[in-house]
Amino acid sequence: MITLEKVSFTYRSGQRALQDVDLNIEGGDFIAIMGENGAGKTTLAKHLNGLLKPSQGRVLVDGEDTRKVSVARLSRKVGLVFQNPDHLLFSETVKDEVAFGLKNFGFAPEVVHKQVERTLEALGLSEYAESSPFLLSGGERKRVALAAILAIEPDYLILDEPTIGQDYQQKERLRNFILQLYSQGKAVVMITHDVEFVAESNPKVILLSQGRIVARGPADSVLSKDELVKKASLVRPQMSRLFGELAKYGLPSDVVDVHRARILLEEKLSEAKVRVAQNS
Amino acid sequence: MSLRTLEGFKFSTLKTPVHLLDPRTKFLIVIAVLVPALLFANIYVMIALLLSQLPLLLVGKVARRWALSLRAGVFLSALIFVVNLFTGSYLSAIALTLRFLVLLTSFSLFFMTTSPDDLGLALDRIGAVRWLSRRWLGYPNALSFTFTTAVRLVPTLAVDAQTVVDAQRSRGLELDKGNLLKRVRNYIPILIPLLLIAIRRSLELAEALESRGFPGKEGRTSLFQLKLRPVDYAIIALSLAIIGISFWVYFHYKVPVL
């Protein structure tokens, strides 16, 4: 479990990035951290593996204070995938890139080999194993960056804006992949602006604004509230806006995903059908 | 070496009398410090040159950041001192180490108080730069523009460098682990992404410039015009005098180390 206790952080420039953040992340959790630009999302992520240490309060990873343990040791458990893959790709082949972390953590060569193959397979990157990461498209490079962290098999996976530059099918795959991970008991934390992606995945949502947590709860209850969403400089997902308009027909207003919308609309439609049949 | 040492050469957006001096004036101050510092290997001259820059550092409110750049220079100073101990007397070793600090201070002062934009404007005024630029790149403002852009990208690149370090540490890279050779090799995963980011960014910049019609017509004008004020003329006169006197002394007397 990762525990943040009253964490505040101020950059050396004097800029306050986090204030009194309390948060628990457990195995099996799927959490989306959302908020305006500069809300402190990335700063929060960097606290989870000890890259940044809190100015006040503390962060515990499986009971260990991040101030007292090395980043390398924490990174074995907490995998942080940076937003821009260009900040970490440097190897000649995709295979080497994915193996880098594993080698740093001292895994045996045969384990490294097996793990690299498995991860590439899982992310649909096997055909690029021998290609240079720099010749891949932006979306593919992003997946290589993800593979580089996933191969380490961290217990907690932190993804900074994973959906940027991914086409819809890749997003769909990413969603399934995340689902697999947290149903296997890993924790997935995702930093994102992508309201639709969150609405369809139904994680717990944490809304950050100006360094403070302003709301937390299931995606459908947080993302369907206009005043909350506006605070974090977001707009409600399309389904929520549609159901807001449809409220006068007695439909609930906290619908954010297609699946639930379908069920509710089907009910209404069949009711209507029955009524038409009775009338005639 | 940490990235903070670069702070000692970064422009600070202040409006002190030193910042408001014309960039050409400030460049002449650098020359006026450089000339005696290089002509005489004398301890008193070095100390005088160091002290004479203190008021400028204080008025320019950059003394603290200057201290940072000095900290970066400690290692190099030690190296210079030791090497010169072997080749000359300890007095000349002290003088040469001080000379390094004098040069460091004057460049640091110049870059901390001169905005890249002003520097570009000043370069644009120099006929030789325009001529060279036209010969090489076919456009008189190209060289000064290249220079300004390079200076301006340094802070951006410093931010990128920090992110790259963070990203690789998150993959278990430990920079200060292993023997010397290993430690140097540890920097490969930092330098390659950084280099590629810089190249990619300059290509993007080139495309962005072209799509905005750069270089445009000959004889580009600018919103801000450099103008020498009375203070500037006074300092220029003083600097020229120092340079002149230095050369005169150099050709007429032999100045000892102490």
Side-chain angles (χ1 to χ4, degrees):
Chain A
M1 183 157 88
I2 303 181
T3 314
L4 284 83
E5 290 174 1
K6 288 226 166 290
V7 168
S8 297
F9 183 78
T10 310
Y11 279 102
R12 221 172 10 215
S13 59
Q15 184 201 346
R16 274 200 161 178
L18 291 178
Q19 270 187 68
D20 290 330
V21 171
D22 284 304
L23 182 63
N24 281 328
I25 302 166
E26 279 177 273
D29 271 351
F30 177 30
I31 298 173
I33 299 178
M34 309 186 80
E36 78 268 4
N37 291 325
K41 305 184 295 292
T42 301
T43 308
L44 179 61
K46 285 184 181 174
H47 273 83
L48 301 178
N49 73 346
L51 283 171
L52 294 174
K53 321 282 185 200
S55 311
Q56 273 139 45
R58 58 180 189 161
V59 180
L60 301 174
V61 175
D62 292 339
E64 288 181 307
D65 193 323
T66 55
R67 282 204 192 83
K68 289 168 190 151
V69 201
S70 74
V71 174
R73 190 166 149 188
L74 290 169
S75 300
R76 176 71 191 83
K77 286 187 214 162
V78 186
L80 176 54
V81 183
F82 277 65
Q83 186 176 338
N84 185 350
D86 297 340
H87 281 129
L88 57 95
L89 300 181
F90 74 98
S91 305
E92 270 175 63
T93 64
V94 167
K95 220 168 74 184
D96 291 346
E97 196 65 66
V98 177
F100 176 71
L102 292 164
K103 285 182 188 158
N104 280 334
F105 290 119
F107 285 92
E110 59 275 11
V111 180
V112 173
H113 183 76
K114 224 177 76 188
Q115 200 57 22
V116 168
E117 276 195 348
R118 243 176 66 182
T119 317
L120 289 180
E121 175 81 52
L123 287 172
L125 290 166
S126 296
E127 51 176 318
Y128 303 119
E130 301 293 339
S131 331
S132 160
F134 303 110
L135 297 177
L136 302 179
S137 75
E140 288 160 348
R141 285 208 297 272
K142 214 165 159 77
R143 269 184 289 148
V144 175
L146 174 61
I149 299 295
L150 266 181
I152 304 167
E153 294 205 308
D155 298 334
Y156 309 91
L157 185 67
I158 323 293
L159 306 168
D160 197 348
E161 297 281 7
T163 59
I164 286 185
Q166 299 292 328
D167 57 39
Y168 279 93
Q169 274 190 18
Q170 287 303 337
K171 281 195 198 181
E172 216 39 57
R173 268 193 219 164
L174 181 71
R175 193 199 328 282
N176 288 329
F177 200 74
I178 292 174
L179 179 83
Q180 255 180 50
L181 285 172
Y182 72 78
S183 36
Q184 282 163 16
K186 310 225 169 206
V188 181
V189 178
M190 172 173 80
I191 291 171
T192 185
H193 283 111
D194 195 333
V195 211
E196 299 299 337
F197 187 83
V198 173
E200 292 303 322
S201 326
N202 205 29
K204 279 185 220 167
V205 173
I206 298 213
L207 275 191
L208 269 183
S209 179
Q210 295 175 6
R212 287 176 187 280
I213 294 183
V214 290
R216 56 177 103 203
D220 50 6
S221 75
V222 174
L223 290 184
S224 56
K225 290 198 179 68
D226 225 16
E227 70 281 15
L228 279 181
V229 168
K230 273 197 182 124
K231 233 182 197 170
S233 198
L234 299 167
V235 288
R236 278 151 59 202
Q238 291 184 0
M239 275 307 145
S240 166
R241 278 183 276 165
L242 178 65
F243 272 73
E245 300 288 324
L246 294 178
K248 57 185 171 203
Y249 297 104
L251 285 160
S253 60
D254 65 343
V255 179
V256 294
D257 65 294
V258 174
H259 182 69
R260 197 167 152 227
R262 201 195 100 205
I263 295 171
L264 286 166
L265 288 177
E266 265 179 359
E267 262 172 35
K268 274 279 167 201
L269 284 173
S270 54
E271 271 172 36
K273 242 186 201 167
V274 173
R275 230 174 302 142
V276 170
Q278 283 170 348
N279 285 352
S280 55
Chain B
M1 200 192 83
S2 88
L3 290 163
R4 285 192 76 194
T5 52
L6 280 178
E7 287 281 306
F9 292 93
K10 220 164 78 183
F11 173 64
S12 61
T13 36
L14 295 170
K15 277 208 158 73
T16 71
V18 183
H19 284 75
L20 292 178
L21 285 177
D22 191 278
R24 289 165 292 181
T25 313
K26 274 180 277 190
F27 191 65
L28 207 60
I29 298 179
V30 173
I31 305 277
V33 173
L34 226 70
V35 166
L38 293 178
L39 288 183
F40 315 112
N42 175 289
I43 293 179
Y44 292 123
V45 172
M46 296 305 163
I47 291 174
L49 287 172
L50 263 183
L51 289 181
S52 67
Q53 296 190 74
L54 265 186
L56 289 176
L57 287 168
L58 290 174
V59 173
K61 293 189 177 146
V62 287
R64 256 185 52 198
R65 300 234 317 259
W66 165 69
L68 274 180
S69 75
L70 273 196
R71 224 173 52 183
V74 165
F75 175 71
L76 220 54
S77 318
L79 195 74
I80 291 171
F81 183 75
V82 172
V83 168
N84 283 293
L85 261 188
F86 286 114
T87 57
S89 70
Y90 78 96
L91 282 176
S92 74
I94 293 176
L96 291 175
T97 310
L98 283 173
R99 173 189 281 171
F100 168 70
L101 293 180
V102 168
L103 300 187
L104 187 70
T105 306
S106 80
F107 282 120
S108 159
L109 177 67
F110 180 76
F111 283 110
M112 283 191 293
T113 58
T114 311
S115 84
D117 301 303
D118 279 359
L119 215 54
L121 281 180
L123 279 174
D124 254 349
R125 284 292 195 83
I126 301 171
V129 173
R130 295 176 71 89
W131 181 81
L132 264 182
S133 180
R134 199 198 306 267
R135 284 297 295 275
W136 283 349
L137 303 160
Y139 179 63
N141 303 110
L143 265 185
S144 62
F145 185 82
T146 310
F147 177 80
T148 332
T149 318
V151 174
R152 207 179 281 181
L153 281 182
V154 170
T156 323
L157 214 56
V159 172
D160 279 321
Q162 189 57 57
T163 311
V164 172
V165 170
D166 283 349
Q168 304 299 35
R169 286 177 77 201
S170 301
R171 296 166 78 191
L173 178 72
E174 290 179 282
L175 284 175
D176 41 10
K177 208 175 142 187
N179 56 27
L180 194 65
L181 190 71
K182 174 90 171 57
R183 280 188 200 200
V184 174
R185 282 182 46 186
N186 281 347
Y187 275 88
I188 294 175
I190 309 289
L191 292 177
I192 292 179
L194 209 50
L195 195 71
L196 285 164
I197 286 171
I199 292 171
R200 203 169 277 149
R201 180 167 292 142
S202 50
L203 290 176
E204 277 167 12
L205 182 67
E207 280 171 0
L209 280 169
E210 272 180 300
S211 58
R212 289 168 71 180
F214 192 87
K217 273 188 186 160
E218 180 95 357
R220 171 182 163 207
T221 57
S222 56
L223 181 57
F224 300 102
Q225 293 290 336
L226 291 177
K227 228 182 125 197
L228 293 170
R229 292 172 304 148
V231 205
D232 289 303
Y233 284 113
I235 295 181
I236 288 174
L238 184 70
S239 304
L240 286 177
I242 293 175
I243 296 170
I245 293 170
S246 301
F247 275 113
W248 188 82
V249 172
Y250 179 72
F251 287 120
H252 290 82
Y253 299 96
K254 190 157 171 35
V255 179
V257 174
L258 194 72

